[in-house]
Amino acid sequence: RKEVEQDPGPFNVPEGATVAFNCTYSNSASQSFFWYRQDCRKEPKLLMSVYSSGNEDGRFTAQLNRASQYISLLIRDSKLSDSATYLCVVNLGRRSGGSYIPTFGRGTSLIVHP
Amino acid sequence: SQTIHQWPATLVQPVGSPLSLECTVEGTSNPNLYWYRQAAGRGLQLLFYSVGIGQISSEVPQNLSASRPQDRQFILSSKKLLLSDSGFYLCAWRRGGLQYRNTIYFGEGSWLTVV
């Protein structure tokens, strides 16, 4: 089983739609979670952290379910500019060498059309 | 504020030629640094990480190497490139501290095409 798994999509939705992505992780000791957005041929950029209690940033809502080991991202009122790949990131905490090693999912592609 | 830059942005190299990608971080000290590669249609693969000057950990055996000659400088190298080395290379640094939850930030990336 992969450490972090995402449905690659693409999710093809009309403007104004609500769309949700899930991401599952295999290591129950994972400590922190994030969603990144990656535009075509660009670097990933932090979209939002994911907190245990769930958190919202405008049209975006992130949830964490530790019992089932998944995180989710909900986008409401989709815009054309939301078209991108959304990467799930899980941080396992310190390794023996002292560094945190973030593990990325392969990403979920979102296409918002007029 | 902290910034990260890497260069060159794009390069086309023949098989067997050497490679050097450079990354620098400004506005912070003793950062954890990472090199990732993203092949076409694939996820991010961690190549190397470094917790300090001269300290390099390799995640994947390959013909690439990394060095950290200065606190905020991270270099990715190869003596002889293979076709399979083509991809999007990303340098990243980790923002430590509980309030930042060890978030990582990426440089702009370097597109490498080996021909």
Side-chain angles (χ1 to χ4, degrees):
Chain A
R1 182 182 175 186
K2 292 180 183 173
E3 290 182 324
V4 180
E5 292 201 66
Q6 295 182 250
D7 180 347
F11 284 63
N12 207 318
V13 303
E15 271 187 294
T18 295
V19 61
F21 310 135
N22 280 343
C23 166
T24 58
Y25 60 95
S26 59
N27 193 323
S28 60
S30 299
Q31 297 183 354
S32 53
F33 309 86
F34 308 88
W35 284 102
Y36 280 70
R37 171 191 168 129
Q38 185 174 24
D39 293 298
C40 187
R41 296 183 68 84
K42 297 288 188 182
E43 76 275 23
K45 293 183 179 177
L46 178 67
L47 179 65
M48 58 197 303
S49 295
V50 186
Y51 297 98
S52 298
S53 56
N55 48 297
E56 189 174 303
D57 182 2
R59 298 181 292 109
F60 298 83
T61 300
Q63 297 276 358
L64 167 63
N65 186 318
R66 284 193 181 271
S68 301
Q69 293 183 206
Y70 75 85
I71 67 172
S72 64
L73 177 67
L74 181 78
I75 305 176
R76 291 182 300 277
D77 188 24
S78 299
K79 311 291 184 190
L80 295 176
S81 57
D82 293 334
S83 297
T85 298
Y86 292 83
L87 304 174
C88 166
V89 183
V90 174
N91 219 335
L92 287 175
R94 287 192 181 276
R95 286 195 178 179
S96 58
S99 182
Y100 289 85
I101 304 298
T103 303
F104 286 78
R106 286 196 171 190
T108 298
S109 176
L110 172 65
I111 301 170
V112 182
H113 58 82
Chain B
S1 64
Q2 300 87 358
T3 58
I4 179 170
H5 296 290
Q6 64 177 102
W7 65 93
T10 306
L11 61 168
V12 180
Q13 296 283 103
V15 169
S17 64
L19 171 73
S20 181
L21 301 178
E22 190 165 341
C23 170
T24 59
V25 180
E26 299 293 333
T28 187
S29 59
N30 197 30
N32 280 191
L33 298 172
Y34 308 82
W35 278 111
Y36 285 87
R37 175 171 61 199
Q38 189 174 38
R42 302 185 67 177
L44 283 163
Q45 179 187 34
L46 179 64
L47 302 175
F48 301 94
Y49 69 91
S50 171
V51 298
I53 296 174
Q55 300 178 66
I56 309 294
S57 296
S58 174
E59 289 292 301
V60 182
Q62 59 216 326
N63 68 321
L64 298 172
S65 62
S67 62
R68 186 167 175 177
Q70 299 181 47
D71 181 44
R72 291 172 292 174
Q73 183 184 29
F74 204 22
I75 297 171
L76 183 69
S77 304
S78 174
K79 292 182 179 178
K80 287 186 177 182
L81 285 168
L82 307 172
L83 286 174
S84 58
D85 291 324
S86 294
F88 189 37
Y89 288 81
L90 290 154
C91 181
W93 73 282
R94 178 177 67 85
R95 192 170 194 178
L98 283 175
Q99 70 272 40
Y100 301 115
R101 308 178 80 223
N102 298 299
T103 307
I104 71 165
Y105 296 91
F106 290 92
E108 306 93 332
S110 299
W111 282 98
L112 170 66
T113 303
V114 182
V115 297

